[in-house]
Amino acid sequence: MSRAQPDKWLSLLILFLVHLLHTSHADVGSAAQYPPPYLPTACYGSDSSQFPSSNLFAAAGDGIWDNGASCGRQYLVRCISAARTGTCVPDKTIQIRIVDYAGSVNSQPSASATTMVLSQTAFGAIANSSAESINIEFQQV
């Protein structure tokens, strides 16, 4: 075997490892959904302009609430798994805005103690809306 062959494989391995390390910036958590009414919120009270026109928003769970500092933060979110196979919408990522605290939302979330509670629109964009909760990958933008 020539000297060039091992160097080629080593280069490919290094490239692969760099790619893996470079693209792993997201966290993993869980999400539930909640129905209206969405006002008032812990972040912005009764100001209806807080909601993005897409209705892709969420309430932050204890793990990301950060004593209210998470208000207005935006996250890329995608469903990665659920209790039932086929729940996630494949290859679908949405951008949501934090507008509330999950511990004080006005309507009952579909599951408790999740990383975030998504609006019905946001949840339905990445998963089957009949699911109680999903596992998500999320990254602040």
Side-chain angles (χ1 to χ4, degrees):
M1 187 178 273
S2 71
R3 170 93 173 120
Q5 202 64 3
D7 288 343
K8 177 183 173 186
W9 289 113
L10 181 61
S11 296
L12 286 172
L13 178 63
I14 290 171
L15 219 111
F16 177 73
L17 291 174
V18 166
H19 176 72
L20 275 179
L21 293 174
H22 187 66
T23 59
S24 302
H25 298 289
D27 290 310
V28 175
S30 58
Q33 62 179 313
Y34 69 121
Y38 297 120
L39 290 173
T41 67
C43 293
Y44 307 104
S46 295
D47 182 4
S48 60
S49 70
Q50 67 186 297
F51 302 110
S53 59
S54 64
N55 284 321
L56 300 177
F57 58 88
D62 288 330
I64 62 171
W65 176 240
D66 199 14
N67 291 321
S70 64
C71 290
R73 285 183 187 158
Q74 296 196 37
Y75 291 92
L76 294 175
V77 180
R78 74 180 185 100
C79 179
I80 55 173
S81 67
R84 238 180 299 139
T85 305
T87 298
C88 296
V89 175
D91 303 318
K92 179 72 174 189
T93 300
I94 59 171
Q95 185 168 328
I96 59 97
R97 181 177 184 215
I98 299 297
V99 298
D100 208 347
Y101 171 54
S104 67
V105 292
N106 293 311
S107 56
Q108 184 68 34
S110 59
S112 60
T114 57
T115 308
M116 59 181 69
V117 181
L118 302 170
S119 67
Q120 285 182 325
T121 302
F123 193 93
I126 60 171
N128 184 318
S129 57
S130 66
E132 285 186 16
S133 67
I134 56 175
N135 296 313
I136 57 169
E137 182 179 76
F138 64 101
Q139 178 179 2
Q140 187 177 345
V141 290

